[in-house]
């Protein structure tokens, strides 16, 4: 198993996000250090920017300069697999470059789950939704599962919709049902990454802006397990960044 951390400089809300300082270290270094605590045999950062490339070299990470034409981190992973000529069955875990406190055990968990579930092309994680505010928040991605914990669909909408309960009130979650929040960590096999890129974006993916729907659209299976621990939030906004700085500076 290897970890690839995609890192791009161009971020709409936080330009240069991977290089932003958090308690004396760039964000990407903190993500890398967390990934190195997993059981991964290799941890690599894939970037399209020379500034990020140089910063990673300075703190001793293995880093690869990739195309600036990719539309997603998954496409960047596919290029890494091609450039390194990885074996078709090599398991690659995609760790987001904006999660400086990603628990290493989640990296191991998602890789192990893909190894065990040979029918799956992707493995990912989820955790229970705790309140109705989360359920109705479009930034909280919901995943619906079948009886064997394979994903039926992902959506920003509150799915499944409890028709009878919400006809009476939408102030609280019904007690007889569980919803799942998707956690954005993925394990793939190297061969599948090439298929995924070849397919290109699909209608459902474009509608929801969720690229994992491309896999389901083409009939691939995604295994979903409950995360062993709840991961801290990633960094998407300046407010997120300030909270993370305060947390790590106080540690």
């Amino acid at each position: 198993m290897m970890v690839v951390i995609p890192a791009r400089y161009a971020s709409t809300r936080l330009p240069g996000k991977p290089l932003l300082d958090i308690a004396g270290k760039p964000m990407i270094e903190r993500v890398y250090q967390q990934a190195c605590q997993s059981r991964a045999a290799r941890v690599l950062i894939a970037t399209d920017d020379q500034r990020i490339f140089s910063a990673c070299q300075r703190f001793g990470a293995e880093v690869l300069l990739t195309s600036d034409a990719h539309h997603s981190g998954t496409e960047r992973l596919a290029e890494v697999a091609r450039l390194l000529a990885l074996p078709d069955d090599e398991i690659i875990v995609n760790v987001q470059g904006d999660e400086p406190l990603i628990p290493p055990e989640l990296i191991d968990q998602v890789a192990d789950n893909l190894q065990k579930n040979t029918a799956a092309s992707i493995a990912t994680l989820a955790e229970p939704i705790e309140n109705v505010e989360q359920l109705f928040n479009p930034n909280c991605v919901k995943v619906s599962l079948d009886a064997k914990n394979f994903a039926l669909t992902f959506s920003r909408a509150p799915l499944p919709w409890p028709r009878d309960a919400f006809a009476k009130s939408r102030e609280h979650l019904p007690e007889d049902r569980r919803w799942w929040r998707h956690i954005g960590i993925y394990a793939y096999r190297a061969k599948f990454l090439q298929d995924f890129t070849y397919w290109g974006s699909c209608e459902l993916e474009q509608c929801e802006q969720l690229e994992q729907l491309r896999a389901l659209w083409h009939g691939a299976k995604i295994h979903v397990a409950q995360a062993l621990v709840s991961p801290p939030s990633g960094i998407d906004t300046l407010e997120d960044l300030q909270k993370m700085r305060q947390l790590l500076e106080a540690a």
Side-chain angles (χ1 to χ4, degrees):
M1 179 260 286
M2 72 177 293
V3 169
V4 177
I5 307 169
R8 67 188 186 98
Y9 193 88
S11 170
T12 304
R13 287 183 285 189
L14 284 175
K17 182 160 63 170
L19 299 182
L20 294 176
D21 182 85
I22 300 177
K25 296 179 181 179
M27 185 189 308
I28 190 65
E29 181 176 358
R30 293 195 172 275
V31 178
Y32 176 79
Q33 289 176 332
Q34 290 297 108
C36 286
Q37 295 179 50
S38 73
R39 298 198 312 269
R42 188 175 186 182
V43 178
L44 180 146
I45 298 167
T47 185
D48 60 357
D49 189 271
Q50 185 61 52
R51 289 163 290 191
I52 296 174
F53 183 89
S54 298
C56 294
Q57 286 188 316
R58 283 195 292 273
F59 63 76
E62 182 180 7
V63 57
L64 194 63
L65 200 58
T66 53
S67 169
D68 60 1
H70 296 310
H71 298 291
S72 70
T74 310
E75 293 180 6
R76 201 171 304 284
L77 261 68
E79 183 185 0
V80 169
R82 289 194 302 272
L83 292 174
L84 299 182
L86 296 177
D88 287 350
D89 61 352
E90 176 78 30
I91 291 178
I92 304 171
V93 177
N94 181 348
V95 171
Q96 306 282 353
D98 58 3
E99 296 193 31
L101 292 180
I102 180 73
E105 54 262 54
L106 295 190
I107 297 172
D108 295 335
Q109 182 186 10
V110 77
D112 290 345
N113 288 347
L114 185 60
Q115 184 71 46
K116 294 172 187 173
N117 291 276
T118 56
S121 298
I122 304 173
T124 190
L125 302 174
E127 63 180 358
I129 288 177
E130 302 292 347
N131 55 63
V132 75
E133 289 77 21
Q134 271 190 306
L135 185 65
F136 281 90
N137 182 352
N139 294 318
C140 172
V141 176
K142 277 65 70 173
V143 56
S144 299
L145 307 177
D146 69 11
K148 295 183 178 181
N149 290 325
F150 289 105
L152 292 169
T153 192
F154 296 81
S155 182
R156 298 183 183 279
L159 294 179
W161 182 265
R163 185 193 64 177
D164 294 342
F166 277 174
K168 298 175 183 177
S169 172
R170 301 182 188 177
E171 294 183 2
H172 304 284
L173 292 178
E175 295 181 358
D176 61 345
R177 185 171 297 278
R178 175 174 281 189
W179 282 264
W180 295 98
R181 181 185 82 85
H182 178 230
I183 295 171
I185 184 170
Y186 299 94
Y188 308 89
R189 293 182 182 86
K191 172 64 170 62
F192 177 77
L193 285 169
Q194 308 313 316
D195 296 337
F196 187 89
T197 304
Y198 173 78
W199 288 332
S201 182
C202 71
E203 178 183 337
L204 197 57
E205 171 187 358
Q206 293 169 9
C207 177
E208 291 263 18
Q209 290 298 296
L210 298 172
E211 66 171 351
Q212 62 268 39
L213 291 171
R214 185 189 312 183
L216 297 181
W217 180 275
H218 288 277
K221 285 186 172 292
I222 302 177
H223 182 269
V224 185
Q226 182 171 353
L228 293 173
V229 295
S230 181
S233 298
I235 296 175
D236 291 319
T237 66
L238 183 58
E239 182 181 5
D240 296 335
L241 177 65
Q242 291 169 341
K243 288 179 179 178
M244 185 64 67
R245 283 172 169 165
Q246 290 172 357
L247 177 64
L248 290 177
E249 285 169 359

